[in-house]
PDB file of all heavy atoms in Angstrom:
ATOM      1  N   LYS A  17      11.570  24.363  29.683  1.00 90.00           N
ATOM      2  CA  LYS A  17      12.052  23.210  28.907  1.00 90.00           C
ATOM      3  C   LYS A  17      12.953  22.328  29.739  1.00 90.00           C
ATOM      4  O   LYS A  17      13.279  21.210  29.346  1.00 90.00           O
ATOM      5  CB  LYS A  17      12.813  23.685  27.671  1.00 90.00           C
ATOM      6  CG  LYS A  17      11.878  24.237  26.627  1.00 90.00           C
ATOM      7  CD  LYS A  17      12.536  24.380  25.313  1.00 90.00           C
ATOM      8  CE  LYS A  17      11.549  25.040  24.365  1.00 90.00           C
ATOM      9  NZ  LYS A  17      11.268  24.257  23.234  1.00 90.00           N
ATOM     10  N   LEU A  18      13.346  22.784  30.929  1.00 91.00           N
ATOM     11  CA  LEU A  18      14.178  21.986  31.806  1.00 91.00           C
ATOM     12  C   LEU A  18      13.364  20.917  32.501  1.00 91.00           C
ATOM     13  O   LEU A  18      12.155  21.104  32.685  1.00 91.00           O
ATOM     14  CB  LEU A  18      14.837  22.850  32.851  1.00 91.00           C
ATOM     15  CG  LEU A  18      15.859  23.889  32.387  1.00 91.00           C
ATOM     16  CD1 LEU A  18      16.274  24.783  33.552  1.00 91.00           C
ATOM     17  CD2 LEU A  18      17.048  23.206  31.812  1.00 91.00           C
ATOM     18  N   ALA A  19      14.013  19.878  32.917  1.00 91.00           N
ATOM     19  CA  ALA A  19      13.388  18.838  33.748  1.00 91.00           C
ATOM     20  C   ALA A  19      13.028  19.456  35.137  1.00 91.00           C
ATOM     21  O   ALA A  19      13.696  20.410  35.508  1.00 91.00           O
ATOM     22  CB  ALA A  19      14.324  17.669  33.919  1.00 91.00           C
ATOM     23  N   PRO A  20      12.017  18.953  35.813  1.00 92.00           N
ATOM     24  CA  PRO A  20      11.599  19.574  37.071  1.00 92.00           C
ATOM     25  C   PRO A  20      12.703  19.701  38.108  1.00 92.00           C
ATOM     26  O   PRO A  20      12.839  20.702  38.760  1.00 92.00           O
ATOM     27  CB  PRO A  20      10.475  18.636  37.548  1.00 92.00           C
ATOM     28  CG  PRO A  20       9.918  18.038  36.331  1.00 92.00           C
ATOM     29  CD  PRO A  20      11.071  17.922  35.387  1.00 92.00           C
ATOM     30  N   GLY A  21      13.571  18.671  38.222  1.00 93.00           N
ATOM     31  CA  GLY A  21      14.645  18.742  39.186  1.00 93.00           C
ATOM     32  C   GLY A  21      15.647  19.827  38.873  1.00 93.00           C
ATOM     33  O   GLY A  21      16.157  20.541  39.745  1.00 93.00           O
ATOM     34  N   ARG A  22      15.897  19.979  37.558  1.00 93.00           N
ATOM     35  CA  ARG A  22      16.837  21.006  37.145  1.00 93.00           C
ATOM     36  C   ARG A  22      16.218  22.428  37.289  1.00 93.00           C
ATOM     37  O   ARG A  22      16.929  23.399  37.537  1.00 93.00           O
ATOM     38  CB  ARG A  22      17.225  20.785  35.688  1.00 93.00           C
ATOM     39  CG  ARG A  22      18.085  19.525  35.563  1.00 93.00           C
ATOM     40  CD  ARG A  22      18.490  19.249  34.144  1.00 93.00           C
ATOM     41  NE  ARG A  22      19.089  17.907  34.101  1.00 93.00           N
ATOM     42  CZ  ARG A  22      19.425  17.336  32.984  1.00 93.00           C
ATOM     43  NH1 ARG A  22      19.225  17.908  31.817  1.00 93.00           N
ATOM     44  NH2 ARG A  22      19.953  16.144  33.020  1.00 93.00           N
ATOM     45  N   ARG A  23      14.905  22.502  37.184  1.00 93.00           N
ATOM     46  CA  ARG A  23      14.242  23.783  37.383  1.00 93.00           C
ATOM     47  C   ARG A  23      14.459  24.221  38.845  1.00 93.00           C
ATOM     48  O   ARG A  23      14.769  25.399  39.136  1.00 93.00           O
ATOM     49  CB  ARG A  23      12.755  23.685  37.130  1.00 93.00           C
ATOM     50  CG  ARG A  23      12.378  23.752  35.699  1.00 93.00           C
ATOM     51  CD  ARG A  23      10.875  23.810  35.588  1.00 93.00           C
ATOM     52  NE  ARG A  23      10.461  23.043  34.447  1.00 93.00           N
ATOM     53  CZ  ARG A  23       9.274  22.520  34.269  1.00 93.00           C
ATOM     54  NH1 ARG A  23       8.344  22.678  35.160  1.00 93.00           N
ATOM     55  NH2 ARG A  23       8.984  21.875  33.175  1.00 93.00           N
ATOM     56  N   VAL A  24      14.267  23.288  39.734  1.00 94.00           N
ATOM     57  CA  VAL A  24      14.439  23.636  41.195  1.00 94.00           C
ATOM     58  C   VAL A  24      15.864  24.019  41.455  1.00 94.00           C
ATOM     59  O   VAL A  24      16.120  25.038  42.143  1.00 94.00           O
ATOM     60  CB  VAL A  24      14.018  22.377  42.034  1.00 94.00           C
ATOM     61  CG1 VAL A  24      14.393  22.601  43.519  1.00 94.00           C
ATOM     62  CG2 VAL A  24      12.520  22.124  41.921  1.00 94.00           C
ATOM     63  N   LEU A  25      16.834  23.294  40.917  1.00 93.00           N
ATOM     64  CA  LEU A  25      18.211  23.608  41.118  1.00 93.00           C
ATOM     65  C   LEU A  25      18.603  24.956  40.566  1.00 93.00           C
ATOM     66  O   LEU A  25      19.282  25.756  41.199  1.00 93.00           O
ATOM     67  CB  LEU A  25      19.108  22.516  40.514  1.00 93.00           C
ATOM     68  CG  LEU A  25      20.586  22.534  40.802  1.00 93.00           C
ATOM     69  CD1 LEU A  25      20.815  22.361  42.282  1.00 93.00           C
ATOM     70  CD2 LEU A  25      21.282  21.412  40.058  1.00 93.00           C
ATOM     71  N   LEU A  26      18.131  25.269  39.354  1.00 92.00           N
ATOM     72  CA  LEU A  26      18.357  26.560  38.731  1.00 92.00           C
ATOM     73  C   LEU A  26      17.722  27.677  39.529  1.00 92.00           C
ATOM     74  O   LEU A  26      18.339  28.715  39.789  1.00 92.00           O
ATOM     75  CB  LEU A  26      17.884  26.616  37.314  1.00 92.00           C
ATOM     76  CG  LEU A  26      18.122  27.917  36.564  1.00 92.00           C
ATOM     77  CD1 LEU A  26      19.605  28.209  36.412  1.00 92.00           C
ATOM     78  CD2 LEU A  26      17.475  27.837  35.156  1.00 92.00           C
ATOM     79  N   ALA A  27      16.469  27.502  39.946  1.00 92.00           N
ATOM     80  CA  ALA A  27      15.789  28.504  40.743  1.00 92.00           C
ATOM     81  C   ALA A  27      16.501  28.750  42.073  1.00 92.00           C
ATOM     82  O   ALA A  27      16.696  29.906  42.460  1.00 92.00           O
ATOM     83  CB  ALA A  27      14.335  28.063  41.036  1.00 92.00           C
ATOM     84  N   PHE A  28      16.979  27.686  42.734  1.00 93.00           N
ATOM     85  CA  PHE A  28      17.728  27.841  43.979  1.00 93.00           C
ATOM     86  C   PHE A  28      19.004  28.618  43.707  1.00 93.00           C
ATOM     87  O   PHE A  28      19.376  29.547  44.474  1.00 93.00           O
ATOM     88  CB  PHE A  28      18.051  26.470  44.574  1.00 93.00           C
ATOM     89  CG  PHE A  28      18.893  26.546  45.812  1.00 93.00           C
ATOM     90  CD1 PHE A  28      18.322  26.962  47.040  1.00 93.00           C
ATOM     91  CD2 PHE A  28      20.236  26.256  45.771  1.00 93.00           C
ATOM     92  CE1 PHE A  28      19.111  27.058  48.137  1.00 93.00           C
ATOM     93  CE2 PHE A  28      21.026  26.359  46.866  1.00 93.00           C
ATOM     94  CZ  PHE A  28      20.498  26.726  48.063  1.00 93.00           C
ATOM     95  N   GLY A  29      19.702  28.295  42.632  1.00 92.00           N
ATOM     96  CA  GLY A  29      20.962  28.987  42.306  1.00 92.00           C
ATOM     97  C   GLY A  29      20.720  30.471  42.041  1.00 92.00           C
ATOM     98  O   GLY A  29      21.469  31.344  42.520  1.00 92.00           O
ATOM     99  N   LEU A  30      19.667  30.767  41.250  1.00 90.00           N
ATOM    100  CA  LEU A  30      19.405  32.176  40.966  1.00 90.00           C
ATOM    101  C   LEU A  30      18.923  32.941  42.199  1.00 90.00           C
ATOM    102  O   LEU A  30      19.309  34.128  42.391  1.00 90.00           O
ATOM    103  CB  LEU A  30      18.346  32.258  39.836  1.00 90.00           C
ATOM    104  CG  LEU A  30      18.810  31.746  38.466  1.00 90.00           C
ATOM    105  CD1 LEU A  30      17.650  31.780  37.460  1.00 90.00           C
ATOM    106  CD2 LEU A  30      19.976  32.568  37.962  1.00 90.00           C
ATOM    107  N   ILE A  31      18.160  32.322  43.041  1.00 91.00           N
ATOM    108  CA  ILE A  31      17.671  32.989  44.271  1.00 91.00           C
ATOM    109  C   ILE A  31      18.887  33.237  45.196  1.00 91.00           C
ATOM    110  O   ILE A  31      19.041  34.331  45.779  1.00 91.00           O
ATOM    111  CB  ILE A  31      16.634  32.155  44.995  1.00 91.00           C
ATOM    112  CG1 ILE A  31      15.348  32.212  44.184  1.00 91.00           C
ATOM    113  CG2 ILE A  31      16.400  32.632  46.408  1.00 91.00           C
ATOM    114  CD1 ILE A  31      14.257  31.225  44.671  1.00 91.00           C
ATOM    115  N   ALA A  32      19.835  32.251  45.263  1.00 90.00           N
ATOM    116  CA  ALA A  32      21.005  32.479  46.073  1.00 90.00           C
ATOM    117  C   ALA A  32      21.868  33.613  45.523  1.00 90.00           C
ATOM    118  O   ALA A  32      22.409  34.432  46.328  1.00 90.00           O
ATOM    119  CB  ALA A  32      21.861  31.189  46.126  1.00 90.00           C
ATOM    120  N   LEU A  33      21.967  33.747  44.193  1.00 87.00           N
ATOM    121  CA  LEU A  33      22.745  34.841  43.642  1.00 87.00           C
ATOM    122  C   LEU A  33      22.074  36.203  43.912  1.00 87.00           C
ATOM    123  O   LEU A  33      22.719  37.152  44.269  1.00 87.00           O
ATOM    124  CB  LEU A  33      22.901  34.605  42.114  1.00 87.00           C
ATOM    125  CG  LEU A  33      23.903  33.517  41.753  1.00 87.00           C
ATOM    126  CD1 LEU A  33      23.877  33.315  40.210  1.00 87.00           C
ATOM    127  CD2 LEU A  33      25.322  33.953  42.162  1.00 87.00           C
ATOM    128  N   VAL A  34      20.767  36.235  43.676  1.00 86.00           N
ATOM    129  CA  VAL A  34      20.045  37.509  43.903  1.00 86.00           C
ATOM    130  C   VAL A  34      20.145  37.893  45.379  1.00 86.00           C
ATOM    131  O   VAL A  34      20.366  39.040  45.750  1.00 86.00           O
ATOM    132  CB  VAL A  34      18.569  37.393  43.446  1.00 86.00           C
ATOM    133  CG1 VAL A  34      17.786  38.580  43.925  1.00 86.00           C
ATOM    134  CG2 VAL A  34      18.536  37.261  41.933  1.00 86.00           C
ATOM    135  N   PHE A  35      19.976  36.911  46.309  1.00 84.00           N
ATOM    136  CA  PHE A  35      20.044  37.171  47.740  1.00 84.00           C
ATOM    137  C   PHE A  35      21.398  37.703  48.081  1.00 84.00           C
ATOM    138  O   PHE A  35      21.562  38.653  48.881  1.00 84.00           O
ATOM    139  CB  PHE A  35      19.723  35.858  48.470  1.00 84.00           C
ATOM    140  CG  PHE A  35      19.728  35.959  49.953  1.00 84.00           C
ATOM    141  CD1 PHE A  35      18.750  36.682  50.620  1.00 84.00           C
ATOM    142  CD2 PHE A  35      20.768  35.377  50.687  1.00 84.00           C
ATOM    143  CE1 PHE A  35      18.773  36.788  51.984  1.00 84.00           C
ATOM    144  CE2 PHE A  35      20.769  35.530  52.061  1.00 84.00           C
ATOM    145  CZ  PHE A  35      19.770  36.223  52.742  1.00 84.00           C
ATOM    146  N   THR A  36      22.486  37.113  47.535  1.00 84.00           N
ATOM    147  CA  THR A  36      23.846  37.546  47.847  1.00 84.00           C
ATOM    148  C   THR A  36      24.102  38.992  47.340  1.00 84.00           C
ATOM    149  O   THR A  36      24.652  39.791  48.111  1.00 84.00           O
ATOM    150  CB  THR A  36      24.837  36.582  47.204  1.00 84.00           C
ATOM    151  OG1 THR A  36      24.623  35.288  47.660  1.00 84.00           O
ATOM    152  CG2 THR A  36      26.257  36.997  47.528  1.00 84.00           C
ATOM    153  N   PHE A  37      23.647  39.266  46.120  1.00 80.00           N
ATOM    154  CA  PHE A  37      23.882  40.607  45.590  1.00 80.00           C
ATOM    155  C   PHE A  37      23.045  41.655  46.359  1.00 80.00           C
ATOM    156  O   PHE A  37      23.523  42.758  46.527  1.00 80.00           O
ATOM    157  CB  PHE A  37      23.597  40.594  44.065  1.00 80.00           C
ATOM    158  CG  PHE A  37      24.646  39.880  43.310  1.00 80.00           C
ATOM    159  CD1 PHE A  37      24.219  38.926  42.357  1.00 80.00           C
ATOM    160  CD2 PHE A  37      25.984  40.076  43.482  1.00 80.00           C
ATOM    161  CE1 PHE A  37      25.170  38.238  41.625  1.00 80.00           C
ATOM    162  CE2 PHE A  37      26.943  39.364  42.764  1.00 80.00           C
ATOM    163  CZ  PHE A  37      26.528  38.464  41.824  1.00 80.00           C
ATOM    164  N   ALA A  38      21.872  41.251  46.794  1.00 78.00           N
ATOM    165  CA  ALA A  38      21.049  42.228  47.543  1.00 78.00           C
ATOM    166  C   ALA A  38      21.710  42.487  48.884  1.00 78.00           C
ATOM    167  O   ALA A  38      21.697  43.627  49.391  1.00 78.00           O
ATOM    168  CB  ALA A  38      19.666  41.619  47.771  1.00 78.00           C
ATOM    169  N   GLN A  39      22.289  41.489  49.522  1.00 76.00           N
ATOM    170  CA  GLN A  39      22.975  41.716  50.857  1.00 76.00           C
ATOM    171  C   GLN A  39      24.246  42.473  50.619  1.00 76.00           C
ATOM    172  O   GLN A  39      24.614  43.263  51.516  1.00 76.00           O
ATOM    173  CB  GLN A  39      23.239  40.370  51.492  1.00 76.00           C
ATOM    174  CG  GLN A  39      22.035  39.783  52.149  1.00 76.00           C
ATOM    175  CD  GLN A  39      22.429  38.579  53.014  1.00 76.00           C
ATOM    176  OE1 GLN A  39      23.416  37.976  52.784  1.00 76.00           O
ATOM    177  NE2 GLN A  39      21.555  38.262  53.949  1.00 76.00           N
ATOM    178  N   ASN A  40      24.931  42.269  49.518  1.00 73.00           N
ATOM    179  CA  ASN A  40      26.214  42.962  49.275  1.00 73.00           C
ATOM    180  C   ASN A  40      25.982  44.462  49.120  1.00 73.00           C
ATOM    181  O   ASN A  40      26.903  45.243  49.395  1.00 73.00           O
ATOM    182  CB  ASN A  40      26.913  42.403  48.053  1.00 73.00           C
ATOM    183  CG  ASN A  40      27.699  41.191  48.356  1.00 73.00           C
ATOM    184  OD1 ASN A  40      27.980  40.888  49.510  1.00 73.00           O
ATOM    185  ND2 ASN A  40      28.084  40.419  47.341  1.00 73.00           N
TER     186      ASN A  40
END
Side-chain angles (χ1 to χ4, degrees):
K17 288 194 183 239
L18 293 174
R22 292 179 189 173
R23 280 188 217 157
V24 171
L25 190 61
L26 181 63
F28 176 75
L30 292 176
I31 289 170
L33 286 173
V34 168
F35 181 70
T36 301
F37 291 129
Q39 282 188 338
N40 277 343

